[in-house]
Amino acid sequence: MNTPSGSLPGGTWPLGDLTVTRFGYGAMQLAGPGVMGPPADRDGALAVLREAAALGITHIDTAGAYGPRMTNQLIREALHPCPASLHLVTKVGAVRDQQGGWPPARRPEDLRRAVRENLEDLGLDALDVVNLRLGDAQGPRSGSLAEPFETLVELQQQGLIRHLGVSNATAEQVAEAQAIAPIVCVQNMYNLAHRQDDELIDELADNGIAYVPFFPLGGFTPLQSTALSAVATRLDATPMSVALAWLLQRSPNILLIPGTSSVAHLRENVTGAGLALSHDELAELDKIGH
């Protein structure tokens, strides 16, 4: 049964002229171990994508580097042709090496090839949103983004990209991007325990720009906190549910993209994110990252 998007936790948020559910889905975990190669359970991966759409989720995050190219191909197999309400957000600026690393690939020719491959693998004529991935696997790195970002602006002017964003970026790089062309989102690591972007989130909210935390549940090292566990126990909920609910209540411009390769876990995440946290519970949780 389809669930109206308005009934998903958090409602919706605009990405430029697109409207997406604040509760989205991150497809990274659909690839094989280490985000390399095909999934162990291909039918299961396709089922997760179809369930996300059936639940009313209209924001799916992906990247050509996942697999590499595998996750995009799964999305196409499961959902093509996508309904007009479903929006795919991808990233360029990094590739995979044989050791499973994520080396940068931000030369103009790298970015043009990446956009072309995303279009091909997703079966699209234009990409809804493309994030320029900056920094490296250890996090953001300072430095100008002008050359790679201007390359994406050129591709946008050619009609291959509708909207732009940045990922793994410093606040200075976000400002530099905004001075070159409008952006609709920033995708950085952020969760209850990693609060380095608090000021940036509030600035973006004032400007109507989405903030999309990756690793909202801690990533490969799940969030561990006695305060989080205590609140979860009192609410008879899982710590991960509380962490997702906190993010939705932290700021209206935060969009969630928790990933999973399980239909049951996807449904649990949707339900969990709908928890209503009291003022006292929010204050208790706020202390974790400070």
Side-chain angles (χ1 to χ4, degrees), residues 31-79:
V35 202
M36 293 288 282
D41 180 3
R42 187 180 188 89
D43 288 343
L46 297 173
V48 170
L49 288 164
R50 290 170 180 147
E51 179 67 10
L55 288 169
I57 289 170
T58 63
H59 173 203
I60 294 180
D61 179 82
T62 185
Y66 299 163
R69 304 184 69 170
M70 178 57 60
T71 297
N72 282 351
Q73 292 166 5
L74 290 167
I75 290 171
R76 180 173 184 171
E77 182 176 347
L79 301 175

Side-chain angles (χ1 to χ4, degrees), residues 190-191 214-219 221-223 239-241 243-244 247 258 265 269:
Y190 181 84
N191 54 48
F214 64 75
F215 294 160
L217 300 177
T221 306
L223 291 171
M240 298 303 99
S241 294
L244 290 175
L247 282 167
H265 189 210
N269 282 342

Side-chain angles (χ1 to χ4, degrees), residues 10 18 70 73 99 102 108 136 142 155 166 204 209 218 225 231 265 272 274 287 289:
L18 313 176
M70 178 57 60
Q73 292 166 5
Q99 293 72 44
W102 305 78
D136 55 31
S142 60
L155 294 169
V166 292
L204 293 172
I209 297 171
S225 164
V231 172
H265 189 210
K287 296 176 183 175

Side-chain angles (χ1 to χ4, degrees), residues 63-104:
Y66 299 163
R69 304 184 69 170
M70 178 57 60
T71 297
N72 282 351
Q73 292 166 5
L74 290 167
I75 290 171
R76 180 173 184 171
E77 182 176 347
L79 301 175
H80 188 77
C82 289
S85 61
L86 179 61
H87 302 297
L88 306 178
V89 177
T90 191
K91 287 177 289 297
V92 296
V95 292
R96 305 304 302 280
D97 59 26
Q98 293 300 313
Q99 293 72 44
W102 305 78

Side-chain angles (χ1 to χ4, degrees), residues 11-15 18-22 184 204-205 208-210 252-253 255:
T12 61
W13 182 267
L15 294 177
L18 313 176
T19 299
V20 298
T21 50
R22 288 184 65 208
V184 298
L204 293 172
I209 297 171
N253 66 323
L255 310 183

Side-chain angles (χ1 to χ4, degrees), residues 69-173:
R69 304 184 69 170
M70 178 57 60
T71 297
N72 282 351
Q73 292 166 5
L74 290 167
I75 290 171
R76 180 173 184 171
E77 182 176 347
L79 301 175
H80 188 77
C82 289
S85 61
L86 179 61
H87 302 297
L88 306 178
V89 177
T90 191
K91 287 177 289 297
V92 296
V95 292
R96 305 304 302 280
D97 59 26
Q98 293 300 313
Q99 293 72 44
W102 305 78
R106 294 192 284 269
R107 297 174 303 173
E109 58 267 33
D110 295 327
L111 298 174
R112 294 187 188 105
R113 180 175 60 253
V115 166
R116 186 170 63 249
E117 289 177 351
N118 271 275
L119 289 167
E120 178 183 329
D121 291 339
L122 292 168
L124 299 172
D125 296 323
L127 299 169
D128 282 335
V129 183
V130 174
N131 285 312
L132 173 63
R133 187 183 189 276
L134 299 161
D136 55 31
Q138 280 66 55
R141 294 288 180 264
S142 60
S144 175
L145 54 59
E147 183 183 46
F149 194 71
E150 286 168 358
T151 299
L152 294 184
V153 172
E154 291 173 10
L155 294 169
Q156 182 183 39
Q157 292 168 346
Q158 293 169 20
L160 300 179
I161 299 170
R162 295 180 68 179
H163 299 290
L164 299 171
V166 292
S167 176
N168 208 28
T170 66
E172 292 76 19
Q173 288 165 336

